[in-house]
Amino acid sequence: MPLLHIQSGSRDGEAIELAEEIITIGSAPGNKIELSEAEVAPFHATLVADDGDYVLSDQQSSAGTFVNGVKIDEQKLRYGDQICLGSVLVLYESEIGPTLEPVARECVSEECAPAESKGTDSRWGLMLLALAVVDVVGVIFHQRKPRVAESAQSLSHAPQAPPAALFDRRLQLATAIFRS
C-alpha cells in the first residue's frame, strides 16, 4: 500500500497509508490529510488512485505543489518522489521499491528543490560564481586604489592588462574548465 512520509511541519514523522480512491489534502477541516501550516491552502491538492499508485493534482493553491522541485498541476507519483505542499515536505513511497529513508527535512528552497537533485553541476556553478565574485572584488579594488595600480604599473615597465581584460580572460578559463 502506498505511503506518504511527512518530513516537516506539525505532523513531522508521520507515515500515512493511502488506501482510498480519492484523498484530499489541505488545511481545511474535512480533508483526508489535514495539514495546519499557513502556507498550505484549505484545499491544496488531491490524490487519485491510478494502477496501484496515485496521481497528485494541485487545486490551484497559491503556494503551489512541487514534485522533485518542479511545480506541477498534475503528475503521477513514483516511488521516492519528494512533494512540497506549501512549506510541508512529504515523501511518497509506493509498493515498488525499497524502504524509503528521509533525504531532506524541509523544503530546501523557494521552489522546493530536493537537496540531492543539485548534483555535480552545482559545484561548477558555485566555482563560476566564486570566480565572478573574486573578479568583481578585484575590479572594485582597482577602482578604489588607483595609486596602487599606477605605481605597480610604473615599477614593472611592462604593459598591464586592464581589469576588464583580466575578467574576460578568467571567464574564458572558467568556461573552458566547465566544458571539459
Side-chain angles (χ1 to χ4, degrees):
M1 175 174 302
L3 296 170
L4 288 181
H5 296 273
I6 300 178
Q7 299 295 305
S8 64
S10 61
R11 296 182 68 178
D12 184 13
E14 284 188 45
I16 301 170
E17 289 186 355
L18 305 177
E20 298 182 28
E21 185 72 23
I22 299 173
I23 301 168
T24 58
I25 304 170
S27 60
N31 281 296
K32 297 292 181 184
I33 300 175
E34 190 176 326
L35 302 172
S36 61
E37 283 67 27
E39 299 84 5
V40 176
F43 301 98
H44 197 101
T46 304
L47 289 166
V48 177
D50 182 37
D51 292 330
D53 276 316
Y54 279 84
V55 174
L56 176 66
S57 300
D58 183 71
Q59 299 300 307
Q60 299 179 344
S61 62
S62 58
T65 300
F66 295 80
V67 176
N68 300 323
V70 177
K71 189 172 185 176
I72 59 107
D73 290 323
E74 182 175 280
Q75 180 170 327
K76 183 166 184 168
L77 297 176
R78 295 173 298 156
Y79 175 86
D81 280 345
Q82 293 186 345
I83 305 162
C84 273
L85 305 157
S87 63
V88 179
L89 177 66
V90 179
L91 300 177
Y92 178 76
E93 180 180 345
S94 65
E95 294 178 342
I96 302 169
T99 303
L100 188 64
E101 293 184 25
V103 293
R105 298 296 298 164
E106 61 185 35
C107 294
V108 295
S109 74
E110 189 173 318
E111 295 82 24
C112 291
E116 73 278 355
S117 73
K118 296 187 181 359
T120 57
D121 290 340
S122 67
R123 284 187 272 167
W124 291 111
L126 288 174
M127 184 183 76
L128 289 173
L129 177 63
L131 285 172
V133 168
V134 167
D135 284 329
V136 168
V137 169
V139 168
I140 291 171
F141 179 76
H142 270 84
Q143 289 175 349
R144 292 188 134 189
K145 303 283 187 181
R147 286 186 235 148
V148 173
E150 289 170 9
S151 60
Q153 191 173 13
S154 66
L155 287 175
S156 69
H157 300 294
Q160 298 287 322
L166 290 174
F167 178 79
D168 290 341
R169 179 66 184 140
R170 287 186 183 147
L171 183 60
Q172 289 172 349
L173 288 171
T175 304
I177 290 170
F178 181 76
R179 289 184 180 162
S180 63

